[in-house]
Amino acid sequence: MAFLKWLHDLEIPSAYALLAPTPLALACLILFVWSIGPAIRLKVGRPMVWWLRLTWVLTLIPAVTGVILALGGGKVASAVAAAKGVTKYGFAPDPKRNLEHWMYAALVLLSLYAIEVLIQGKLIKPQAGLRILPVATLFLYGVAYMVGRVAVFPGSGG
């Protein structure tokens, strides 16, 4: 169980963690920057598709470990007090953050699926899908970032 918790809580410890605190957020940020080219050229290259698959892997690892930890009674760190009535990060616990963490994780999965649909051109014309690809990947980056943020920081408390 300790290994699963370590795997689920993996962070990027650096000054750049402000933009991408987790490997998933970093992969999504790179995917966003990469998506600008296909939006201009109206063609997706195989390396971008491979990066999208890597992003799926970096999504599913914490998702599966998170489900296993939740079934074992675990909650997001910002929702529970660790010692002296504060979270392990030193903030007051906010139980609502647990549900928010799940919501953002679900939005990451839905966004990745939508990006797959846009790239394949199944529901809309490929040109139109690739034109809005940067918007979809920016949204993906935002929700991936929020998955990590709500795990650490409490909400407004109101």
Side-chain angles (χ1 to χ4, degrees), residues 18-40:
L18 183 62
L19 286 176
T22 63
L24 172 60
L26 180 61
C28 293
L29 179 60
I30 292 169
L31 191 64
F32 163 65
V33 172
W34 206 329
S35 71
I36 296 170
I40 295 170

Side-chain angles (χ1 to χ4, degrees), residues 30-133:
I30 292 169
L31 191 64
F32 163 65
V33 172
W34 206 329
S35 71
I36 296 170
I40 295 170
R41 291 181 287 122
L42 297 179
K43 183 179 179 191
V44 176
R46 189 168 293 297
M48 183 178 174
V49 174
W50 288 352
W51 190 264
L52 180 60
R53 299 303 186 275
L54 176 65
T55 306
W56 270 106
V57 170
L58 291 174
T59 301
L60 292 176
I61 289 172
V64 170
T65 57
V67 168
I68 294 169
L69 291 169
L71 291 173
K75 293 196 182 295
V76 69
S78 63
V80 295
K84 299 181 185 175
V86 296
T87 66
K88 73 178 190 176
Y89 297 105
F91 300 109
D94 185 2
K96 295 178 298 219
R97 290 307 232 185
N98 199 52
L99 185 59
E100 286 182 65
H101 188 70
W102 283 96
M103 176 193 69
Y104 285 120
L107 285 172
V108 167
L109 292 170
L110 289 172
S111 299
L112 278 170
Y113 180 73
I115 291 167
E116 289 280 352
V117 170
L118 290 174
I119 286 177
Q120 293 174 8
K122 298 288 183 182
L123 293 178
I124 60 176
K125 293 180 182 176
Q127 295 83 9
L130 293 179
R131 291 274 186 225
I132 62 173
L133 187 60

